[in-house]
Structure formats: structure tokens, C-alpha cells
Amino acid sequence: MTRSIIVFGSINLDLVARVPHLPKPGETLSGYSFVTVPGGKGANQAVGSAKLGGSTRMIGRVGGDAFGEELLKSLQDSGVQTALVMVDRSISSGVAMIAVDDRSENHIIVIPGANGNVDESDLEKLQSTLTNSSILLLQLEIPIAIVELAAAIAHQIGAIVILDPAPAPTNFPNSLYPLIDILTPNAIEAAQLVGFPIENESDVDRAATVLQQKGAKTIVIKLGSQGAFCATERERFLTPAFSVNAIDTVAAGDAFNAGLAVALSEGLQIREAMTWGAASGALSTTKSGAQTSLVDRSTFDQFLKQKP
Ligand code: RIB
């Protein structure tokens, strides 16, 4: 059985500046270049899933502006079903101001725009399309109360709920954890959730235990070039990172979640799904931008074949 993938989340236009280094407070910096690229954690995960061959539907909002049209087109061109994406004419589209430096590090400031208006009417759309064989991908760039309600609906139906707690939350409700099948923070987000810094392997292990005790079933902590740690109810293991020539890490975490979800949608077990996530994340760092860095299935299969 192939599971369908539903992404309920944010859609942004990324305004990306390449700079020699990330600016310090008060610093005026000359950059090298500027581009606009479709992004948003939700839309990136949707585009990543669809390009890898997942049957993918997006639920969310764009604004009634030119950015909104561009964002919808990018989703559609990548094969994402967008019938449930609302054009909200009361507000502008979400934007993210991104600086990427010579070391491929980035800073991101997100202005929610239409994403901040996602509400109960969007939940009704979710309810009408979810089944017990769906995989629901959530992030935290829409109101967290709505995220929790979405997780509750999916949990009750028996769908698989994968929550990426990004951007790092300051107000993550304890009642949300038991609704999550797979929680996928990076080290910064995990530290924010558990309340202690994550600096070494034993911190990672301890953080996963704390998050499981809070009620999430499986914890995946994304550690960039150090790989990704997975703790399920039965096993704990580290999936090593693929070695690639990284030029831009924007959306690498989204690409990871897309790879993970598509693998699960095709019936693969968690170890293999982690490898797919790692491969998808690594490949995305070899190209610039968010949705522009997400690869299609044949490139992905070729990469996995070459780097077993
Ligand atoms: O995860 C990367 C994304 O974060 C960017 O595309 C940007 O829109 C922000 O949402």
C-alpha cells in the first residue's frame, strides 16, 4: 500500500542575499547577489515529497499578491496538489529574509503574512482529505494552536503524524507530544524543547529520551554533517550523513523530512527511511535556494545507487 502525503503548513517567498559573513548587530554589509526563491517549511516539504514521487497535497494559504501566484505555480510545477491552498486576499504572502554566507551558514527572518491566518476553516479541509493511511507533515510556521488541532485530528484518524518543530518553539504545549508519531527537531530545536544544550552524543541521547517521556513515539534529531539520530520504542541508532560538497543548507531539514516521508509512504522501515531522509537532505545542500535545491526521483535514486 502506498500512503498519501498531506502537508499542512507554511508557504513563503524567500528573499535571499549571498553575503561574505552573517552581519553582526549594527553592521552594514555589502552582499554578492540577491534572488527570490519559493520556500516556506511546509511548501518545501511538499515540493520535496512530490519531486521524490510521493502523492502530495498541500493545505495552507498564500496572499492575494504576485508572490502568491509564484508560490502556487512552484507547488503545481513540482506536482503538488494545491486545490486546498487558499488565496487569502486580506493579507500578503509569507516572506522569509535569508542571508547565506561563504561557509553556507544562514540566518532566516520569517514574516508569516497569510500563514498566520491559517485557521479552523483550513482544518476542515484537512479533515475532509485525511485517511488512516495518510502521512501528515507539520511544522511550526502557522499558528501552533492550529498545528495541535491538526495533529489531534490526524492522530484520532490513525494517520502518521510527523512534526518538524521549526522554527525553534518557545511555547510548545506538552499536550502536543502524545499526538506525534515522529518528532524531527535539529539540535537547536531539540535543545529548546528539552531545556538543556545539545553539545555531544550523550546530550542527543538524553534529549531523545526526554522527548519520548513527554509522549512523542519516535524522535529524529537532525545533526547536519554529523548525521541524524533516531530513537524509536525499540531501537536507537545514528544514520551517518552523506558526504557532499555543500554550498547552501537552506531547506536541508525540509528535504530530510520529505525523504523520510516518501520512504515511509512506500512502506520502507524506519532505518531505510532515515537513510532516504539523510540522502535527500544532503542532496539539497549541493544546490542554492529552498525549492530550487530539491531533487527529482531519478537524481535521488542515482545518488543512492552511487553511495549505498
Ligand atoms: O526551512 C527553510 C525555510 O525556512 C525557508 O524556505 C524559509 O521560507 C523559512 O520558512
Side-chain angles (χ1 to χ4, degrees), residues 10 12-14 38-41 44 95-96 98 108 110 141 250-252 254 290:
S10 60
N12 294 331
L13 194 76
D14 293 351
K41 294 184 193 303
N44 296 343
V95 292
I98 303 181
I108 305 182
V110 178
E141 287 185 331
V250 172
D254 301 326

mmCIF file of all heavy atoms in Angstrom, residues 10 12-14 38-41 44 95-96 98 108 110 141 250-252 254 290, ligand 1:
data_model
loop_
_atom_site.group_PDB
_atom_site.id
_atom_site.type_symbol
_atom_site.label_atom_id
_atom_site.label_comp_id
_atom_site.label_asym_id
_atom_site.label_seq_id
_atom_site.Cartn_x
_atom_site.Cartn_y
_atom_site.Cartn_z
ATOM 1 N N SER A 10 3.259 26.120 6.078
ATOM 2 C CA SER A 10 3.592 27.457 5.563
ATOM 3 C C SER A 10 4.059 27.454 4.121
ATOM 4 O O SER A 10 4.616 26.476 3.621
ATOM 5 C CB SER A 10 4.707 28.051 6.418
ATOM 6 O OG SER A 10 5.845 27.205 6.343
ATOM 7 N N ASN A 12 6.170 30.351 1.802
ATOM 8 C CA ASN A 12 6.835 31.675 1.823
ATOM 9 C C ASN A 12 7.553 31.957 0.521
ATOM 10 O O ASN A 12 7.985 31.029 -0.157
ATOM 11 C CB ASN A 12 7.950 31.711 2.889
ATOM 12 C CG ASN A 12 7.432 31.601 4.300
ATOM 13 O OD1 ASN A 12 6.317 32.008 4.590
ATOM 14 N ND2 ASN A 12 8.246 31.046 5.175
ATOM 15 N N LEU A 13 7.744 33.235 0.235
ATOM 16 C CA LEU A 13 8.723 33.581 -0.797
ATOM 17 C C LEU A 13 10.006 33.960 -0.061
ATOM 18 O O LEU A 13 9.987 34.789 0.852
ATOM 19 C CB LEU A 13 8.244 34.743 -1.674
ATOM 20 C CG LEU A 13 9.132 34.829 -2.922
ATOM 21 C CD1 LEU A 13 8.788 33.731 -3.929
ATOM 22 C CD2 LEU A 13 9.026 36.177 -3.602
ATOM 23 N N ASP A 14 11.114 33.327 -0.441
ATOM 24 C CA ASP A 14 12.399 33.603 0.205
ATOM 25 C C ASP A 14 13.135 34.708 -0.545
ATOM 26 O O ASP A 14 13.294 34.642 -1.772
ATOM 27 C CB ASP A 14 13.271 32.338 0.219
ATOM 28 C CG ASP A 14 12.694 31.248 1.114
ATOM 29 O OD1 ASP A 14 11.720 31.530 1.847
ATOM 30 O OD2 ASP A 14 13.228 30.121 1.086
ATOM 31 N N PRO A 38 10.983 30.349 -4.247
ATOM 32 C CA PRO A 38 9.865 29.806 -3.461
ATOM 33 C C PRO A 38 10.371 28.985 -2.281
ATOM 34 O O PRO A 38 11.307 28.192 -2.428
ATOM 35 C CB PRO A 38 9.123 28.916 -4.465
ATOM 36 C CG PRO A 38 9.564 29.401 -5.805
ATOM 37 C CD PRO A 38 10.954 29.910 -5.633
ATOM 38 N N GLY A 39 9.753 29.198 -1.117
ATOM 39 C CA GLY A 39 10.192 28.497 0.090
ATOM 40 C C GLY A 39 9.041 28.325 1.065
ATOM 41 O O GLY A 39 7.877 28.236 0.677
ATOM 42 N N GLY A 40 9.380 28.350 2.343
ATOM 43 C CA GLY A 40 8.401 28.052 3.404
ATOM 44 C C GLY A 40 8.576 26.588 3.791
ATOM 45 O O GLY A 40 8.621 25.712 2.916
ATOM 46 N N LYS A 41 8.673 26.338 5.095
ATOM 47 C CA LYS A 41 8.984 24.966 5.519
ATOM 48 C C LYS A 41 7.937 23.961 5.024
ATOM 49 O O LYS A 41 8.275 22.858 4.587
ATOM 50 C CB LYS A 41 9.135 24.900 7.043
ATOM 51 C CG LYS A 41 10.341 25.700 7.517
ATOM 52 C CD LYS A 41 10.585 25.590 8.984
ATOM 53 C CE LYS A 41 11.590 26.630 9.463
ATOM 54 N NZ LYS A 41 12.908 26.579 8.785
ATOM 55 N N ASN A 44 8.200 23.644 1.136
ATOM 56 C CA ASN A 44 9.434 22.928 0.779
ATOM 57 C C ASN A 44 9.249 21.425 0.987
ATOM 58 O O ASN A 44 9.673 20.610 0.161
ATOM 59 C CB ASN A 44 10.608 23.395 1.640
ATOM 60 C CG ASN A 44 10.960 24.856 1.413
ATOM 61 O OD1 ASN A 44 10.555 25.442 0.413
ATOM 62 N ND2 ASN A 44 11.712 25.437 2.341
ATOM 63 N N VAL A 95 6.811 35.853 3.793
ATOM 64 C CA VAL A 95 8.151 36.010 3.206
ATOM 65 C C VAL A 95 9.204 35.625 4.240
ATOM 66 O O VAL A 95 8.965 35.695 5.449
ATOM 67 C CB VAL A 95 8.443 37.453 2.716
ATOM 68 C CG1 VAL A 95 7.593 37.828 1.529
ATOM 69 C CG2 VAL A 95 8.297 38.466 3.832
ATOM 70 N N ALA A 96 10.361 35.220 3.715
ATOM 71 C CA ALA A 96 11.497 34.926 4.596
ATOM 72 C C ALA A 96 12.705 35.672 4.056
ATOM 73 O O ALA A 96 13.010 35.573 2.859
ATOM 74 C CB ALA A 96 11.771 33.427 4.614
ATOM 75 N N ILE A 98 16.524 35.903 3.985
ATOM 76 C CA ILE A 98 17.578 34.915 4.268
ATOM 77 C C ILE A 98 18.933 35.463 3.847
ATOM 78 O O ILE A 98 19.081 36.013 2.748
ATOM 79 C CB ILE A 98 17.297 33.600 3.499
ATOM 80 C CG1 ILE A 98 15.909 33.049 3.882
ATOM 81 C CG2 ILE A 98 18.390 32.570 3.756
ATOM 82 C CD1 ILE A 98 15.527 31.753 3.204
ATOM 83 N N ILE A 108 17.703 33.324 9.050
ATOM 84 C CA ILE A 108 16.393 33.441 8.396
ATOM 85 C C ILE A 108 15.450 34.245 9.293
ATOM 86 O O ILE A 108 15.322 33.952 10.484
ATOM 87 C CB ILE A 108 15.759 32.053 8.125
ATOM 88 C CG1 ILE A 108 16.706 31.170 7.307
ATOM 89 C CG2 ILE A 108 14.423 32.197 7.419
ATOM 90 C CD1 ILE A 108 16.131 29.785 6.943
ATOM 91 N N VAL A 110 11.459 35.229 9.340
ATOM 92 C CA VAL A 110 10.199 34.902 8.655
ATOM 93 C C VAL A 110 9.114 35.898 9.057
ATOM 94 O O VAL A 110 8.911 36.173 10.241
ATOM 95 C CB VAL A 110 9.736 33.465 9.016
ATOM 96 C CG1 VAL A 110 8.414 33.147 8.342
ATOM 97 C CG2 VAL A 110 10.783 32.447 8.602
ATOM 98 N N GLU A 141 5.315 27.045 11.336
ATOM 99 C CA GLU A 141 5.238 28.396 10.764
ATOM 100 C C GLU A 141 3.794 28.848 10.545
ATOM 101 O O GLU A 141 3.555 29.852 9.885
ATOM 102 C CB GLU A 141 6.028 28.471 9.447
ATOM 103 C CG GLU A 141 7.527 28.446 9.687
ATOM 104 C CD GLU A 141 8.351 28.646 8.442
ATOM 105 O OE1 GLU A 141 7.879 28.275 7.342
ATOM 106 O OE2 GLU A 141 9.481 29.151 8.555
ATOM 107 N N VAL A 250 20.043 25.905 3.284
ATOM 108 C CA VAL A 250 18.626 26.299 3.415
ATOM 109 C C VAL A 250 17.737 25.156 2.906
ATOM 110 O O VAL A 250 17.972 24.614 1.831
ATOM 111 C CB VAL A 250 18.335 27.594 2.615
ATOM 112 C CG1 VAL A 250 16.829 27.888 2.584
ATOM 113 C CG2 VAL A 250 19.093 28.769 3.205
ATOM 114 N N ALA A 251 16.763 24.790 3.703
ATOM 115 C CA ALA A 251 15.774 23.733 3.368
ATOM 116 C C ALA A 251 16.333 22.319 3.458
ATOM 117 O O ALA A 251 15.637 21.363 3.089
ATOM 118 C CB ALA A 251 15.141 23.952 1.994
ATOM 119 N N ALA A 252 17.538 22.147 3.980
ATOM 120 C CA ALA A 252 18.073 20.784 4.114
ATOM 121 C C ALA A 252 17.207 19.969 5.077
ATOM 122 O O ALA A 252 16.934 18.786 4.837
ATOM 123 C CB ALA A 252 19.516 20.825 4.595
ATOM 124 N N ASP A 254 14.036 20.423 5.617
ATOM 125 C CA ASP A 254 12.769 20.132 4.924
ATOM 126 C C ASP A 254 12.958 18.972 3.950
ATOM 127 O O ASP A 254 12.093 18.091 3.839
ATOM 128 C CB ASP A 254 12.284 21.367 4.152
ATOM 129 C CG ASP A 254 12.071 22.555 5.075
ATOM 130 O OD1 ASP A 254 11.662 22.330 6.237
ATOM 131 O OD2 ASP A 254 12.325 23.701 4.654
ATOM 132 N N ALA A 290 15.756 27.224 -1.621
ATOM 133 C CA ALA A 290 14.898 26.259 -0.940
ATOM 134 C C ALA A 290 14.333 25.278 -1.968
ATOM 135 O O ALA A 290 14.931 24.236 -2.232
ATOM 136 C CB ALA A 290 13.808 26.985 -0.168
HETATM 137 O O1 RIB B 1 13.496 25.669 6.098
HETATM 138 C C1 RIB B 1 13.802 26.682 5.179
HETATM 139 C C2 RIB B 1 12.664 27.648 5.071
HETATM 140 O O2 RIB B 1 12.540 28.343 6.288
HETATM 141 C C3 RIB B 1 12.846 28.708 4.034
HETATM 142 O O3 RIB B 1 12.400 28.320 2.759
HETATM 143 C C4 RIB B 1 12.095 29.889 4.603
HETATM 144 O O4 RIB B 1 10.951 30.224 3.902
HETATM 145 C C5 RIB B 1 11.790 29.511 6.042
HETATM 146 O O5 RIB B 1 10.483 29.173 6.184
#
